[in-house]
């Protein structure tokens, strides 16, 4: 135990399962939890939609809400939940010295404008000139800001007054891994005392699906658990909308303000390129886990080959996996923060989520250690050890 | 020999390699010659038609093989070209062996590709049709160009960097943030060296239109080379530009141990987010002021240590006013005797690359003992009382430089660089 241990003191979660730690934990430990899916809106793709949210609960000003599209609202909302949970919301001194790393992709484009331009392009002899004409007339300035990757962090600064620092990492799941590992490394080294870190993904927009489907990654069959999509049409990924933010703190900082501590974030191992099964096993080895059996909150995307490798690597490491995407869908940049958050919840409850499909083994005994994983559908990956406070 | 740890006992971070590409050319030699000659790289846009556009000029990099092949391809080539120059200068072999921090623009599927997809299918309309075409074509190169992590992944493979490469955006402060991340990693003792790159090849029609809608761009289309005029009374916006820059950051101890030439010291970094507005700074300038102060504190410097300021100096009415406010608040009366010039008067605003490009130029300023000018400074803004090194370069003995980067979304990042270890 050290004063500079990285502890998790705030968790903000939103997914199709609901919002907040209690709703998520209750769903995940229920033996008969059902996925909430929408198969119609983006057919032939299935998605896990957002639950009903009252944005005003975390973004009180209408004028702020209007400056954002759903992705930024969702991230700002989830960040607010985490700050509330950590007991930091509205504490000006704590927020003004708080560091922030957000993992982000891009925001929503205007589908109406895009669609109209695409249609008109069919009858145009010079599409570039058409583009200039239409974009000049039709684009809204606020939408540009709603699309900018770093403006989720910008909105969190404006709405929640987190201003110690603001960094946005990009790069799909890997961005979430780097965000958490960097925030933790800074705290461990004394470069930071408390940090807000997380991401949101808004899948209910066709452009967000297009980024997967250009590579043929989306699952097109009937809904199936994340581990069991290999034989179905498509690439195995079912996406979901959601957000996950964490408040990370040095143990010393958390104790000094009497904060409740969910768990300790231990080692994080990350990989560039495209880790194969052997590398995954090696990364899990880097966590230096005590004798098991242990729980793994697996961020497997469902992407056929990578997911099969992850399953096998987790088995070899003797880990009992829970592929949470079965219930939430793939949350892209938010996948690793979500996994770490669930691992912290499991550790703080001393219990594992219920098996989410028949291939996941029950785990008896008190959980005092959980591994969080996220291996990207295309590239990069990370694993973390989360232990008892 | 001086110590290899700084005033806080942290490893001193040296710079052993620099590379740069801007509209003025490829490499340090060409860029420095043009920059000190007061030459502008701003020119009429030829990459796409400019009909209907309010701004028809830019500082685009039109001379690379990837110019015109889309944001991802050009950004990658700008990054690769700059990094190759920096790594060669540092004398590091094929395997870099440290982490990569890449500042680059957010990635979107290009319009040209949207049109291609749309024409490739007749199923449905709008995005449903794009999705159907995406399914049936399964075009890997188009897929890769849509992935935010792809450029860094490919650079990591090319240069043999270690671990999961970080791609980041802090808008117009991105380049400085990439450097800061590298400095922090070395100070933590995680690595002996880090590769920090800022690259931006995102000057598309849509990007231009978006900034135009925010009234951020100069519309001085008739005389492009005179459009960017930081600190002038008649400044009317920034000029969108492209570029790339790379810095090999290395612990002083490691650089000395392998006999590398020390090009300078990355002495301190500071940052602060603004909670006032999405595109405007807090009227009292407090976040920018705090970022400058944080960088000086991190460097262990008082205000007397800074000999020159490489300004953010975008040439927008708002930025230059606020930058003056923050500098005059931090430095007081002394600011009148510190030269402050803007590279952007010549190269325009290279967005995600700017902080890195301007850091490279800051080191060249110290090495050569020459201050690059702020060109187009014919009508001084009486409200901005600064020595902007007007129009003509100036010889100066520069031991330390402050470089500012401020961006949309309340991003403020400042770097303090020194010629030699303290």
């Amino acid at each position: 135990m050290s004063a500079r241990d990285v502890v998790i003191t705030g968790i903000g979660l939103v997914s199709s399962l609901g919002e907040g730690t209690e709703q998520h934990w209750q769903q995940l430990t229920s033996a008969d939890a059902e996925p909430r899916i929408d198969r119609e809106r983006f057919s032939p793709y299935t998605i896990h939609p957002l639950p009903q949210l009252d944005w005003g609960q975390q973004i009180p000003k209408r004028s702020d809400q209007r400056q954002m599209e759903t992705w930024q609202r969702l991230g700002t909302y989830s960040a607010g939940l985490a700050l509330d949970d950590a007991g930091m919301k509205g504490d000006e001194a704590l927020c003004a010295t708080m560091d922030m790393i957000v993992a982000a992709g891009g925001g929503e484009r205007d589908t109406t404008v895009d669609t109209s331009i695409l249609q008109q392009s069919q009858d145009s002899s010079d599409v570039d000139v058409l583009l200039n004409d239409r974009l000049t007339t039709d684009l809204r300035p606020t939408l540009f800001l709603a699309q900018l990757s770093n403006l989720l962090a910008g909105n969190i600064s404006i709405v929640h007054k987190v201003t110690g620092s603001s960094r946005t990492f990009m790069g799909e799941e890997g961005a979430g891994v780097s965000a958490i590992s960097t925030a933790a490394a800074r705290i461990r080294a004394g470069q930071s005392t408390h940090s807000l870190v997380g991401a949101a993904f808004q899948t209910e927009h066709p452009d967000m699906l297009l980024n997967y489907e250009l590579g043929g990654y989306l699952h097109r069959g009937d809904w199936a658990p994340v581990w069991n999509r290999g034989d179905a049409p498509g690439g195995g990924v079912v996406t979901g909308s959601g957000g996950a933010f964490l408040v990370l703190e040095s143990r010393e900082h958390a104790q000094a303000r009497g904060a409740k501590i969910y768990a300790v974030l231990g080692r994080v191992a990350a990989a560039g390129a495209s880790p194969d099964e052997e590398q995954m096993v090696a990364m899990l080895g880097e966590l230096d886990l005590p004798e098991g059996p242990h729980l793994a909150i697996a961020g497997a995307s469902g992407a056929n080959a990578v997911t099969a490798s992850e399953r096998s690597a987790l088995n070899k490491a003797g880990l009992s996996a829970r592929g949470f995407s079965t219930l939430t869908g793939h949350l892209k940049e938010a996948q690793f923060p979500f996994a770490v958050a669930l691992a912290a919840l499991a550790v703080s409850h001393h219990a594992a989520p219920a098996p989410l499909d028949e291939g996941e083994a029950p785990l008896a005994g008190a959980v005092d250690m959980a591994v969080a994983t996220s291996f990207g559908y295309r590239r990069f990956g990370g694993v973390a050890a989360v232990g008892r406070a | 020999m001086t110590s290899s740890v700084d005033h806080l006992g942290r490893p001193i971070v040296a710079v052993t390699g620099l590379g740069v590409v801007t509209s003025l050319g490829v490499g340090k030699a060409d860029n420095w010659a043009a920059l000190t000659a007061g030459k502008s790289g701003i020119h009429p846009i030829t990459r796409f038609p400019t009909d209907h556009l309010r701004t028809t000029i830019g500082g685009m990099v039109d001379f690379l093989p990837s110019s015109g092949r889309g944001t991802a391809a050009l950004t990658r080539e700008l990054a690769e070209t700059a990094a190759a120059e920096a790594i060669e200068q540092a004398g590091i072999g094929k395997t870099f062996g440290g982490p990569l921090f890449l500042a680059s623009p957010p990635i979107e599927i290009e319009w040209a590709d949207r049109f291609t997809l749309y024409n490739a299918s007749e199923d449905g309309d709008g995005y449903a049709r794009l999705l159907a075409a995406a399914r049936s074509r399964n075009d890997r190169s188009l897929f890769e160009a849509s992935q935010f992590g792809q450029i860094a992944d490919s650079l990591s493979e090319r240069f043999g960097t270690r671990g999961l490469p970080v791609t980041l955006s802090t808008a117009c402060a991105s380049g400085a943030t990439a450097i800061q991340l590298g400095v922090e990693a070395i100070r933590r003792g995680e690595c002996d060296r880090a590769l920090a790159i800022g690259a931006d090849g995102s000057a598309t029609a849509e990007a231009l239109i978006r900034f135009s809608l925010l009234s951020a761009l100069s519309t001085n289309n008739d005389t492009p080379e005179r459009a960017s005029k930081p600190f002038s009374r008649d400044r009317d916006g920034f000029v969108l530009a492209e570029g790339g820059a790379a810095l090999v950051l290395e612990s002083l101890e490691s650089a000395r141990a392998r006999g590398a030439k020390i090009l300078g010291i990355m002495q301190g970094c500071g940052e602060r987010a603004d909670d006032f507005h999405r595109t405007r700074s807090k009227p009292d300038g407090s976040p920018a002021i705090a970022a400058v102060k944080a960088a000086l504190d991190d460097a262990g410097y008082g205000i007397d240590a800074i000999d020159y300021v490489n300004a953010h100096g975008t040439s927008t009415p708002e930025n230059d006013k606020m930058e003056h406010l923050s500098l005059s608040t931090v430095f007081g009366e002394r600011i009148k005797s510190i030269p402050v010039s803007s590279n952007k008067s010549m190269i325009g605003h290279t967005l995600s690359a700017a902080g890195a490009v301007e850091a490279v130029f800051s080191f060249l300023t110290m090495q050569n003992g020459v201050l690059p000018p702020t060109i187009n400074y014919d009508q001084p803004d009486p409200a901005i009382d600064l020595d902007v090194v007007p129009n003509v370069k100036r010889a100066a003995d520069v031991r330390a430089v402050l470089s500012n980067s401020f961006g949309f979304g309340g991003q403020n990042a400042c770097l303090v660089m020194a010629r030699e270890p303290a």
Side-chain angles (χ1 to χ4, degrees), chain A residues 44-45 64 67 105-106 109 111 114-115 117-119 121-122 127-129 131-133 135-136 139 141 144-145 147 149-151 154-155 157-158 161 163-172 174 177-178 182 185-186 189 191 206-207 209-211 213-217 220 270-273 377-381, chain B residues 48-53 104-106 108-109 111 114-115 117-119 125-127 129-131 134-135 138-140 142-144 146-150 152-153 163-171 177 180-181 184-185 187-188 190 205-206 209-211 213-214 271-279 408-409 411:
Chain A
Y45 312 112
D64 282 333
Q67 292 290 323
R109 294 182 59 89
T111 43
D114 286 356
T115 299
I117 292 174
L118 288 169
Q119 284 166 344
S121 73
Q122 302 292 287
V127 291
D128 288 331
V129 173
L131 205 53
N132 290 353
D133 186 18
L135 293 176
T136 303
L139 284 188
F144 169 35
L145 297 172
Q147 285 173 259
S149 302
N150 74 303
L151 259 288
N155 278 296
S157 291
I158 289 169
K161 307 296 167 196
T163 55
S165 66
S166 165
R167 301 171 182 180
T168 295
F169 289 179
M170 305 183 295
E172 291 78 35
V177 173
S178 297
T182 303
R186 294 188 75 224
Q191 293 171 338
D207 212 32
L209 296 174
L210 188 55
N211 282 328
E213 197 59 341
L214 284 169
Y217 286 93
R220 298 198 303 276
Y377 59 91
R378 167 59 185 89
R379 55 171 55 84
F380 303 158
Chain B
F48 46 81
T50 55
D51 311 49
H52 308 293
L53 303 183
S104 68
E108 286 185 274
I109 299 166
W111 269 105
R114 287 177 196 272
F115 289 133
L117 279 175
Y118 198 72
N119 292 327
D125 204 7
Y127 274 89
R129 183 153 152 185
L130 295 179
L131 283 159
R135 262 195 316 274
N138 205 357
D139 178 340
R140 285 309 283 189
L142 185 48
F143 164 71
E144 290 294 357
S146 76
Q147 301 297 295
F148 282 74
Q150 181 271 331
D153 190 6
L164 202 176
V166 170
T167 306
L168 66 111
S169 174
T170 53
T177 304
Q180 182 177 26
L181 284 160
E184 288 180 349
R187 284 177 177 171
R188 288 195 295 266
E190 284 172 12
E206 188 164 7
I209 291 165
R210 287 166 171 175
F211 282 115
L213 287 170
L214 296 170
E271 65 194 319
R272 189 61 49 105
D274 193 330
D275 59 11
F276 179 67
H277 187 269
R278 287 153 191 87
T279 57
F408 284 171
Q411 311 274 183

Side-chain angles (χ1 to χ4, degrees), chain B residues 291-361:
Chain B
V292 173
K293 282 184 175 165
L296 291 172
D297 287 350
D298 192 53
Y301 281 1
I303 56 169
D304 291 335
I306 300 296
D307 295 324
Y308 164 70
V309 177
N310 184 306
H312 189 52
T314 59
S315 185
T316 62
E318 162 98 357
N319 174 80
D320 297 1
K321 184 182 75 175
M322 293 310 296
E323 189 164 15
H324 171 251
L325 171 64
S326 35
L327 288 172
S328 55
T329 305
V330 175
F331 289 92
E333 279 298 304
R334 196 179 120 66
I335 196 62
K336 291 178 185 164
S337 57
I338 306 176
V340 178
S341 71
S342 170
N343 303 155
K344 292 187 181 78
S345 62
M346 292 168 278
I347 59 171
H349 192 347
T350 57
L351 304 176
S352 306
V357 167
E358 289 157 27
V360 168
F361 290 151

Side-chain angles (χ1 to χ4, degrees), chain B residues 203-278:
Chain B
T204 60
E206 188 164 7
L208 202 73
I209 291 165
R210 287 166 171 175
F211 282 115
S212 275
L213 287 170
L214 296 170
S215 305
L217 298 182
S218 170
T219 54
N220 203 331
N221 298 319
D222 294 338
T223 46
E225 68 284 356
R226 301 188 55 77
S228 182
K229 40 191 152 192
F231 309 116
S232 290
R233 191 171 57 193
D234 56 344
R235 66 187 185 274
D236 71 334
F238 75 81
V239 175
L240 191 72
E242 295 173 325
L247 297 92
V248 174
L249 306 171
E250 193 165 358
S251 75
L252 183 61
E253 190 176 7
S254 153
R256 280 175 173 160
R258 67 181 187 89
K261 183 169 191 298
I262 313 291
L263 307 174
I265 303 297
M266 197 55 78
Q267 189 75 25
C269 315
E271 65 194 319
R272 189 61 49 105
D274 193 330
D275 59 11
F276 179 67
H277 187 269
R278 287 153 191 87

